[in-house]
Amino acid sequence: MTTFTTRPTLEGTFGMVSSTHWIASQVAMGILERGGNAFDAAVTAGFVLHVAEPHLNGPAGEVPAIVWATDDPVPRVLAGQGPAPAAATIDHYRSLGLDLIPGSGLLAAAVPGAVDAWLLLLRDRGSMSLGEVLAPAIAYANNGIPVVERVTTTIESVRNLFEQDWTTSAQQWLPDGRPPQPGSLMCNPAYARTLQRLVDEAHASGGGRDARIDAARRAWSSGFVAEAIDQFAMQSFRDSSGERHAGVITGNDMAAYHAGWESPATVDWHGVTVAKPPAWSQGPTLLQTLRLLDALGDPEALDPDSAHGIHAIVECLKLAFADREAWYGDVDDVPLATLLSPEYASARVHLVGEQASGQVQPGSPDGRAPRMAAHVMAQLRGQATTASDHADPSLGEPTIDAKGVTRGDTCHIDVVDRWGNMISAMPSGGWLQSSPLIPALGFPLGSRLQMLWLEEGLPTSLKPGRRPRTTLSPTMVLRDGLPTLACGSPGGDQQEQWQLQLLLRHLVKGQSLQEAIDAPAWHTASLPASFYPRKVSPASLIVEDRLPTDVQDQLEAKGHRLTVAGSWALGRLCVVTRDPESGMLRAGANPRGMQGYACGR
């Protein structure tokens, strides 16, 4: 019996791409057709997404990725998350009267990580020239790219801010005094000039391919881009605190940062190895949840479509996210080996009860006492906090409101080529609504620093040189050391939750990729939110209304506080797979939002 899906699971042997925008997918496929590998294709798509989805990512954002290359056959993490600038100290922010780092504006800017990471990937794993991979993005920025409806609605939501304060953004995003309309062509000539200058300076440097890419990296980090950011950040603009502030980022911060390669966090699970970025991301929460589900010893708990399974998975997720809040961060002493151990899961799983928990309960790995931010503890005690959850449309990636509507988000790219190279990449940050546009460059700074606390002694305390604990978290699955699946979903704190549902449906229930993507999605917000104003919604569970009514009733009977979202409101999953024995490649993409597409043959 064939199950109806919104689109087919694609199959072939040449190459597969899945991304959050159809043009990005197609330009990546075009690179594969021209002889490029999966990494050339991903870099090309990444820069096109800056133009196609500027409300979801930008050049001054970040991009973690997981990579498996045939000439380096182990999974590697491309660490494209920039750190806090040298002047980003708790004392400085407190001296401005702030209790939380603003969710938008110049004070929220980490050092940009995306462009340097993409160029490092191209140098170390790609095969094509810088000019070849940047050509599509330059062409679209110069000549225009079709506007999707959500670009228009995002710009309209921050229109007053742009007109009254962020006037440099108004010049780009409000041509003729109004947002570009859906279906019209949107140009960004300033960004086209930025990319072309990177290509020109690379070419003028002489030398071979790698040397030219390094020259472009220098032009970005210590050349004309860094100079423009340094000058612009000295100005003051309004941010989500309601006040005007200058930034703290400088050209020296740009010059000091370099993307790099790291080892992933992994667990072996049901015959596969699941790889995630390490604990400077939230990635290990998915791994912890897999351990906790196994510790339950209940096969029915692995069903993300039944009330019994959803309850068990949600309660395990809450425990993993509580540990994220207490222990994860860009520090040396994260007890990750213990957090990912079966023994630790067994010691924690007794907290999963028959009723939904409204608690945030971190554990004590290696006997260490957990500690969470005072802002979180005050909420859990029912005390008022200084930040109100006002509907500020400039806030990036709180991601999902109660009805499933996005206020900001992320992009995703998965690619597998005919040689078996595979990548899962999660570009985000630097949204058009995150910060005023730098007119000389054609893009704004990011706002990832909002994920750090203005409180000493936490793994996620603000500290110069420390990376924010990002929500960006691609996934790779390997069998017998060979990559078989790459996936990801935008969604802030929901990324791990939606990816987990895909993995359980595909790996455990045997659903096809597209069946697993199309199935009714859900997530909990019963965890400390990563984004300003950092709220906790105890026992909350948001479900698509396609989830059967009897399942919803059973979940409410277990104490979950249900919010019913639209039929196709939650998740933006992308996935590609490869069967190492047959060489068969497959791909699926999310129909929600009507932007994501897979392509391949």
Side-chain angles (χ1 to χ4, degrees):
M1 175 178 168
T2 300
T3 302
F4 173 80
T5 55
T6 57
R7 54 189 70 173
T9 295
L10 304 184
E11 297 181 329
T13 57
F14 181 81
M16 290 286 163
V17 181
S18 181
S19 87
T20 49
H21 196 286
W22 68 90
I23 290 178
S25 294
Q26 190 56 58
V27 296
M29 193 65 201
I31 291 292
L32 296 181
E33 296 285 0
R34 291 169 54 195
N37 64 25
F39 313 120
D40 299 312
V43 174
T44 302
F47 280 95
V48 167
L49 284 170
H50 295 160
V51 185
E53 294 188 317
H55 60 312
L56 307 179
N57 81 137
E62 42 275 324
V63 56
I66 301 183
V67 167
W68 193 95
T70 56
D71 61 354
D72 180 32
V74 292
R76 306 281 187 189
V77 172
L78 175 66
Q81 173 60 65
T89 64
I90 290 175
D91 287 346
H92 175 70
Y93 285 67
R94 290 287 189 182
S95 74
L96 300 174
L98 297 171
D99 296 321
L100 295 175
I101 297 173
S104 65
L106 298 178
L107 279 177
V111 179
V115 167
D116 192 65
W118 284 127
L119 297 184
L120 177 66
L121 174 64
L122 180 65
R123 187 196 72 182
D124 290 355
R125 297 290 183 267
S127 63
M128 302 181 81
S129 71
L130 181 66
E132 288 175 305
V133 299
L134 292 189
I138 293 170
Y140 278 117
N142 266 324
N143 303 324
I145 199 162
V147 175
V148 295
E149 183 177 0
R150 291 190 181 185
V151 170
T152 303
T153 57
T154 299
I155 296 172
E156 183 61 45
S157 72
V158 287
R159 180 173 184 165
N160 289 339
L161 176 64
F162 284 7
E163 291 176 336
Q164 296 169 13
D165 196 276
W166 295 7
T167 54
T168 58
S169 297
Q171 293 165 12
Q172 166 62 31
W173 304 117
L174 295 171
D176 304 319
R178 63 173 192 158
Q181 296 304 295
S184 66
L185 290 177
M186 175 177 62
C187 301
N188 189 341
Y191 186 47
R193 290 192 294 271
T194 296
L195 293 181
Q196 187 61 57
R197 186 167 174 184
L198 291 178
V199 174
D200 292 345
E201 294 203 14
H203 183 76
S205 70
R209 173 184 171 277
D210 290 2
R212 292 184 177 189
I213 294 171
D214 282 339
R217 295 176 71 193
R218 289 192 298 273
W220 173 270
S221 63
S222 57
F224 74 98
V225 174
E227 292 170 3
I229 288 174
D230 186 289
Q231 292 298 310
F232 189 80
M234 295 180 185
Q235 303 177 56
S236 295
F237 295 90
R238 198 171 89 209
D239 56 40
S240 60
S241 73
E243 303 295 328
R244 293 172 62 89
H245 295 112
V248 294
I249 189 171
T250 68
N252 288 336
D253 295 313
M254 294 285 293
Y257 172 73
H258 304 286
W261 295 101
E262 299 182 11
S263 297
T266 63
V267 298
D268 294 330
W269 187 80
H270 291 224
V272 300
T273 299
V274 184
K276 301 290 292 184
W280 50 262
S281 82
Q282 70 175 359
T285 58
L286 187 149
L287 306 181
Q288 281 194 252
T289 305
L290 292 175
R291 288 284 195 225
L292 286 161
L293 288 170
D294 272 359
L296 285 173
D298 178 7
E300 294 183 4
L302 301 179
D303 184 356
D305 301 307
S306 71
H308 179 80
I310 293 172
H311 172 76
I313 297 165
V314 166
E315 296 309 296
C316 289
L317 281 164
K318 291 175 186 176
L319 295 176
F321 276 107
D323 277 338
R324 179 195 74 169
E325 197 62 28
W327 300 110
Y328 291 19
D330 186 23
V331 294
D332 293 332
D333 62 345
V334 177
L336 194 57
T338 299
L339 291 169
L340 297 182
S341 68
E343 294 78 14
Y344 181 75
S346 295
R348 293 270 283 154
V349 78
H350 72 277
L351 293 171
V352 176
E354 291 299 318
Q355 289 293 302
S357 172
Q359 304 299 310
V360 178
Q361 304 176 85
S364 300
D366 303 325
R368 296 165 58 181
R371 177 184 161 193
M372 295 187 293
H375 180 83
V376 172
M377 298 305 297
Q379 290 188 71
L380 297 176
R381 291 191 297 265
Q383 298 173 354
T385 58
T386 54
S388 62
D389 189 14
H390 56 286
D392 183 348
S394 71
L395 301 180
E397 210 182 344
T399 317
I400 303 294
D401 71 10
K403 296 182 180 179
V405 177
T406 61
R407 290 189 297 186
D409 212 335
T410 294
C411 303
H412 190 78
I413 308 161
D414 296 316
V415 189
V416 59
D417 63 30
R418 63 189 185 273
W419 301 290
N421 298 300
M422 187 179 285
I423 179 172
S424 177
M426 193 79 76
S428 186
W431 309 282
L432 66 85
Q433 68 274 25
S434 67
S435 189
L437 182 134
I438 304 170
L441 301 175
F443 58 81
L445 292 170
S447 55
R448 192 66 56 174
L449 279 195
Q450 65 183 287
M451 305 180 78
L452 295 171
W453 295 105
L454 299 180
E455 177 183 343
E456 298 285 0
L458 300 167
T460 48
S461 298
L462 177 65
K463 183 179 180 181
R466 176 173 288 174
R467 291 174 290 187
R469 194 225 65 229
T470 182
T471 53
L472 305 175
S473 180
T475 300
M476 185 171 288
V477 177
L478 303 97
R479 191 183 299 274
D480 298 326
L482 297 175
T484 61
L485 181 149
C487 74
S489 174
D493 295 316
Q494 289 80 47
Q495 289 186 19
E496 308 308 328
Q497 304 187 55
W498 294 332
Q499 292 180 70
L500 177 61
Q501 292 166 56
L502 169 69
L503 296 180
L504 293 175
R505 289 180 178 125
H506 180 61
L507 298 177
V508 178
K509 299 185 71 174
Q511 293 182 0
S512 72
L513 300 182
Q514 201 60 48
E515 284 179 302
I517 290 171
D518 286 354
W522 47 263
H523 69 267
T524 180
S526 187
L527 49 92
S530 296
F531 292 90
Y532 185 97
R534 313 299 294 269
K535 288 187 66 177
V536 183
S537 300
S540 65
L541 182 59
I542 299 91
V543 303
E544 288 184 332
D545 65 15
R546 293 181 296 124
L547 190 71
T549 303
D550 64 319
V551 175
Q552 296 183 36
D553 292 343
Q554 292 174 59
L555 289 167
E556 287 191 309
K558 289 179 178 291
H560 297 279
R561 299 176 182 175
L562 254 63
T563 298
V564 180
S567 299
W568 299 91
L570 307 179
R572 293 176 66 216
L573 285 157
C574 299
V575 60
V576 300
T577 64
R578 181 177 187 269
D579 182 343
E581 294 183 3
S582 67
M584 179 69 78
L585 311 178
R586 294 181 174 87
N590 174 54
R592 299 163 178 86
M594 298 184 292
Q595 289 177 218
Y597 266 91
C599 57
R601 67 174 179 87

